[in-house]
Structure formats: structure tokens, C-alpha cells
Amino acid sequence: MNIVQENPRRSDNGKIANFVTKLWFIVHRKDFSPIVGWREDGVSFVIRDSDRFTEEVLPLYFKGKNFSSFVRQLNMYGFYKVEAKRSEICFANPLFAEGREADLTKIKRKSQKAKNQQEEEHTTTEVEQVDNSSAKEYNNLLRQQLEDLHARRAQQTDLESKIRSSLKQIEDNLHILRREIYVRDQKVKKSPENIDMLFRKDSQDLDMFFRSPLPVSYTHLRAHETPEHLVCRLLLEKKK
């Protein structure tokens, strides 16, 4: 295959870098158009078939078939990737455009310091992206944990409210029970005359009471309770 040596015109300001010259040749070769060439915009070039480019084009202008090395050289001369179709790879440089040979002398290889700075900026950008992503995930985790805490707190508050209500009900019941016990004790402690009056007044109830079977709990006297007290207590409970 003959290599078309279409040297780009040099300006009076200096030479064109060897890599840039070779790249210009490659992009302008019509027989390479199925593999590589200018895009329609004329300000970027496209590698349409990277496998063929590596096997057929690179060996004609460069040592070996190392596509990664070729891409690194592009980066060293200020080229960068642009959006392209899935099967294509596109690169652009503001000074590398169709019909603008005079600008090629302005494309210079980056110094090691500039390269290091670019790599550092690239690394910093990647780190920032990772940090931002990690921070976002961490914030989402904290937000979820906070929502869980609020839900637990609401459940705990509801439970505490129910417990307080139950305790209040128990206290009210205990108060009523203490009052009933006090009233009953006062009735029991009344004079024998009042007890006799109760017997006379409720003789019919007493007779009916003793005719009915007693609950098991009433078949035994309570501690320090006399038989008279037992009768009185049973009458009072019977009436209630």
C-alpha cells in the first residue's frame, strides 16, 4: 500500500510536531476512510474500526500496534475524546481541524509538568466524584437511620401514652376500692344497735340468703373476723 505524503503547509512560526504530521496524513487518506477520517463537523476525527486501525494503520506510521500508546500520544498533544456512536471513537483538538493546516504548528507536546498537573487534576476530579458519590450514599444512609429513629420514637411515645393511661385507670380503680373498703369497715364498726336494726330490716333477705348456697370463698371466716362480722359483711355484699 502506497502512503500518500500530503505534507501540511508549514507556517512561518515553526515546525509541526512529527506526531501531528503523521496524524494529519492518516486522517486525510481517502483509502483509510472506512477505518478513520474526519467527521462531518470537520473539527474532530473518528476511528470507525479500532481493530483495523490497530492492525493496518498504526504499523504504517508508528512502531508497533499499540493502540493505548497512540491514545496516550493524543492526550499528550491536547486531544480529548468526544461523544460518538457506540462502535466509534472520536477525538478533537481546537487546533486540529479540516482546512486549518496553519494551526498545526500551535499544537505542542505537553511538558512533564503540564502532564503531571493534568493527571493530578484528572485524579482530583475522579476523587471528588468518588467522594461526592460516597457522601451522597452516606447522607442517604443517615437520612434512613434518622427516619427509623423518628418512627421508633413515635412508637415509643404511643406506648408510653398507653402505659400512662393504664396506670391512671389502675389508680382510679384502687381509689374506688379503698373507698369501698373504708365504707364497709365503718359500717362494721358501728354499734350493736345498728347491727340489730340491719338484722330486723333485712330479715327476709337474710333468710333468703341462708337458703341459697354460699360461694366457696365465703365458707371460711376471714382473719380476725367474728361470725357477726361475717353475717354483716355477707348482707352488705348481697345488697350490692
Side-chain angles (χ1 to χ4, degrees):
M1 178 183 297
N2 294 327
I3 300 176
V4 180
Q5 298 293 337
E6 296 180 1
N7 288 320
R9 294 190 298 272
R10 299 171 184 266
S11 69
D12 296 334
N13 295 329
K15 295 194 219 179
I16 302 174
N18 188 40
F19 176 80
V20 177
T21 301
K22 292 180 180 181
L23 182 61
W24 185 266
F25 288 157
I26 292 172
V27 173
H28 276 83
R29 284 188 56 164
K30 302 299 182 182
D31 54 334
F32 283 165
S33 59
I35 304 174
V36 60
W38 290 107
R39 296 182 76 182
E40 293 181 359
D41 56 15
V43 294
S44 60
F45 70 93
V46 54
I47 299 175
R48 300 183 176 92
D49 190 331
S50 59
D51 292 336
R52 290 188 62 188
F53 182 83
T54 301
E55 293 295 327
E56 301 177 20
V57 178
L58 286 183
L60 296 177
Y61 291 92
F62 304 99
K63 296 178 180 180
K65 304 177 182 179
N66 193 330
F67 185 78
S68 298
S69 177
F70 172 75
V71 173
R72 283 196 296 270
Q73 287 292 320
L74 287 173
N75 293 333
M76 286 298 298
Y77 282 92
F79 288 83
Y80 53 89
K81 283 186 178 181
V82 294
E83 186 177 355
K85 297 179 182 178
R86 187 172 183 179
S87 60
E88 297 179 345
I89 306 175
C90 296
F91 295 92
N93 184 314
L95 300 174
F96 191 86
E98 189 174 13
R100 290 169 51 187
E101 297 93 334
D103 290 338
L104 298 181
T105 57
K106 301 176 184 178
I107 302 177
K108 303 295 183 182
R109 182 183 175 89
K110 295 178 182 178
S111 64
Q112 187 63 34
K113 180 178 179 180
K115 179 182 177 182
N116 292 340
Q117 182 178 0
Q118 184 185 28
E119 291 178 350
E120 182 178 352
E121 291 175 354
H122 180 69
T123 301
T124 301
T125 302
E126 290 183 341
V127 170
E128 289 176 351
Q129 291 175 348
V130 172
D131 289 344
N132 291 336
S133 177
S134 299
K136 185 177 180 180
E137 292 179 0
Y138 182 69
N139 289 337
N140 290 337
L141 179 61
L142 288 180
R143 189 179 297 108
Q144 183 63 42
Q145 291 178 345
L146 186 60
E147 291 175 357
D148 292 342
L149 286 176
H150 285 321
R152 293 178 188 175
R153 180 56 183 167
Q155 293 176 353
Q156 183 178 1
T157 301
D158 183 62
L159 180 60
E160 290 175 353
S161 177
K162 292 179 179 179
I163 292 175
R164 284 194 295 269
S165 178
S166 298
L167 289 175
K168 180 65 169 56
Q169 185 66 36
I170 292 173
E171 290 177 357
D172 293 342
N173 292 339
L174 286 175
H175 178 74
I176 294 173
L177 181 60
R178 292 191 188 100
R179 181 63 183 171
E180 290 178 353
I181 293 174
Y182 174 78
V183 171
R184 291 182 183 184
D185 287 345
Q186 292 301 314
K187 289 181 179 180
V188 171
K189 291 179 182 179
K190 286 182 179 180
S191 63
E193 292 80 6
N194 290 334
I195 296 176
D196 293 339
M197 182 179 65
L198 287 174
F199 284 154
R200 288 192 302 271
K201 185 178 179 181
D202 297 327
S203 59
Q204 186 177 359
D205 291 340
L206 182 62
D207 183 63
M208 292 180 63
F209 176 80
F210 281 106
R211 290 174 180 273
S212 62
L214 288 174
V216 176
S217 58
Y218 292 157
T219 58
H220 299 284
L221 291 175
R222 292 180 180 176
H224 67 265
E225 187 176 41
T226 64
E228 292 80 3
H229 286 171
L230 171 62
V231 172
C232 183
R233 175 165 57 80
L234 295 178
L235 281 173
L236 290 175
E237 293 181 359
K238 182 80 173 177
K239 289 187 68 176
K240 291 185 177 184

